[in-house]
Amino acid sequence: MHGPRMRRVEFAGKGGPEVIRIAEADVPPPGPGQVLIEVAACGVNRPDCLQREGAYPPPKGESDVPGLEVAGKVVAHDDGVAWPRAGEAVCALLGSGGYAEYALADAALCLPVPQALGVVEAAGLPEAFFTVFDNVFTRGRLVAGETFLVHGGSSGIGSTAIQLAKSAGAIVIATAGSPQKCAFCTKLGADLAIDYKTSDFVEAVKAFTAKRGVDLVLDMVGGSYLPRNISVMAIEGRLVQIGFLQSHVTEAFDFRPVMLRRLTLTGSTLRARTVEQKAAISVALREKVWPLLERGEVKPWVAATFPLAEARRAHELMESSAHCGKILLVTGR
Ligand SMILES: NC(=O)c1ccc[n+]([C@@H]2O[C@H](COP(=O)([O-])OP(=O)(O)OC[C@H]3O[C@@H](n4cnc5c(N)ncnc54)[C@H](OP(=O)(O)O)[C@@H]3O)[C@@H](O)[C@H]2O)c1
């Protein structure tokens, strides 16, 4: 005997996009503190590709089904949940399980779909907005008037970082890999966009800041970027590392500037944090960032949407790096 069934995406082993399969499974019941969301759309994030390759396993207790964020309608909830209740349109940060027609979410990690957005677009909010808010403002301590450098400016993370940093009154420099991507970063508000394939970002940042450097770097590249990032950091500058698209190791380099310019090198991952830690970010987002979304001052920029059954094409697009902004999967619900 089966209860209600749903379609979901599974990985048939570790590997390239060819391991992506669509499968049937039971709709899961909400556990303590959880809600069940009928998913309208889920976000595709670079870490999903790493998970597919076997390089980013889900934390203990999380399902193997990929997907770190969804938006849709709450259809059931645990008795102890005060908000959101059945019928509410929400987006939610998940530890896994978003690539499905139904997903479980911790109620504390749900946020209302902002009025200025459709429910599909809202699926592009949680992963980037939680990550950027925590790393740029809490860990990176960016404030108005400071200069901020974000690499991968056209990525889901980068496009969010540019908008939130501008709305906080920072001067924003972005790097990206083509003239079109640089134009996208400028459209989002970047004061300077550097095509890192044709210009040395170190020279361009030094020229733009009259050699002063930047107060904060948000980096997802790693590898050879570490010493180069350090060389463009101003006195008391901070580097927040959130990814390693190039490499997590680097050649030996001169560490003296860290001491002489009193630099801070830090970083974080979101997924491994406790629900309580993520809930604290959710509370801050609702208070400080949701009003900007409600007023349409910032938004998720959607590069492409694919049906859930075409998740393979979505991963291929992400790994081609041809997109600007967020890639979403839609369920048709
Ligand atoms: N720490 C956390 O909690 C956390 C959470 C979410 C995401 N992340 C990380 O944040 C990064 C962005 O994620 P996303 O989902 O926004 O990805 P995304 O939209 O796929 O963007 C990544 C972009 O980075 C650029 N890139 C790729 N390889 C590069 C390289 N070797 N050197 C320089 N730039 C490169 C590409 O644009 P170009 O054409 O400009 O090269 C690509 O479009 C990923 O590394 C992801 O793992 C971290």
Side-chain angles (χ1 to χ4, degrees):
M1 278 296 286
H2 281 299
R5 303 278 287 167
M6 65 174 187
R7 291 178 310 141
R8 71 181 191 189
V9 167
E10 293 176 356
F11 297 146
K14 299 173 189 172
E18 69 282 354
V19 302
I20 295 175
R21 301 265 185 283
I22 193 94
E24 279 226 340
D26 290 337
V27 173
Q34 288 186 325
V35 300
L36 179 68
I37 298 172
E38 184 184 40
V39 175
C42 67
V44 176
N45 292 283
R46 198 54 83 133
D48 306 343
C49 302
L50 298 177
Q51 179 176 334
R52 192 201 67 221
E53 289 167 348
Y56 193 57
K60 228 175 158 195
E62 293 287 353
S63 91
D64 288 336
V65 176
L68 301 172
E69 57 187 349
V70 294
K73 191 172 72 178
V74 174
V75 290
H77 46 76
D78 175 47
D79 286 345
V81 171
W83 188 91
R85 308 285 287 187
E88 298 260 8
V90 296
C91 57
L93 182 76
L94 314 179
S96 66
Y99 287 25
E101 289 176 312
Y102 291 87
L104 294 174
D106 287 295
L109 304 184
C110 293
L111 285 154
V113 171
Q115 271 180 9
L117 297 182
V119 68
V120 168
E121 281 175 291
L125 291 172
E127 181 69 11
F129 278 69
F130 276 71
T131 300
V132 168
F133 186 81
D134 187 52
N135 288 292
V136 171
F137 299 104
T138 306
R139 209 160 305 284
R141 308 189 303 275
L142 186 70
V143 293
E146 287 194 322
T147 304
F148 170 53
L149 169 64
V150 55
H151 295 297
S154 65
S155 65
I157 295 284
S159 56
T160 305
I162 293 170
Q163 294 180 80
L164 289 184
K166 276 313 287 178
S167 89
I171 298 153
V172 176
I173 305 171
T175 67
S178 71
Q180 293 75 14
K181 287 186 167 192
C182 286
F184 174 72
C185 296
T186 310
K187 185 173 82 177
L188 297 187
D191 299 281
L192 174 69
I194 304 164
D195 181 345
Y196 71 87
K197 290 190 175 153
T198 55
S199 305
D200 175 4
F201 80 79
V202 172
E203 292 310 316
V205 169
K206 283 185 177 165
F208 184 75
T209 61
K211 295 202 178 143
R212 176 186 175 275
V214 301
D215 301 288
L216 176 65
V217 184
L218 183 69
D219 185 49
M220 56 186 73
V221 180
S224 64
Y225 273 38
L226 176 59
R228 298 172 75 204
N229 284 334
I230 287 175
S231 74
V232 297
M233 288 165 73
I235 289 171
E236 303 275 359
R238 290 86 66 195
L239 166 66
V240 183
Q241 196 72 44
I242 58 159
F244 298 109
L245 287 163
Q246 188 190 96
S247 175
H248 63 273
V249 293
T250 190
E251 301 279 314
F253 67 96
D254 186 350
F255 211 70
R256 276 174 304 180
V258 175
M259 189 169 77
L260 298 176
R261 276 188 264 133
R262 303 185 295 281
L263 307 179
T264 302
L265 310 185
T266 183
S268 76
T269 61
L270 181 63
R271 194 187 198 184
R273 317 263 290 276
T274 64
V275 172
E276 290 71 24
Q277 288 166 340
K278 293 178 197 173
I281 304 172
S282 177
V283 168
L285 274 174
R286 194 159 179 174
E287 183 194 327
K288 300 202 168 92
V289 174
W290 247 240
L292 304 174
L293 287 159
E294 295 283 2
R295 294 198 295 272
E297 287 176 26
V298 299
K299 63 175 208 168
W301 285 81
V302 178
T305 57
F306 294 90
L308 183 66
E310 293 180 26
R312 184 188 295 199
R313 282 179 58 214
H315 276 220
E316 284 166 353
L317 173 60
M318 175 152 277
E319 290 181 320
S320 78
S321 287
H323 62 291
C324 285
K326 294 288 301 188
I327 300 171
L328 304 175
L329 298 175
V330 292
T331 64
R333 285 174 179 270

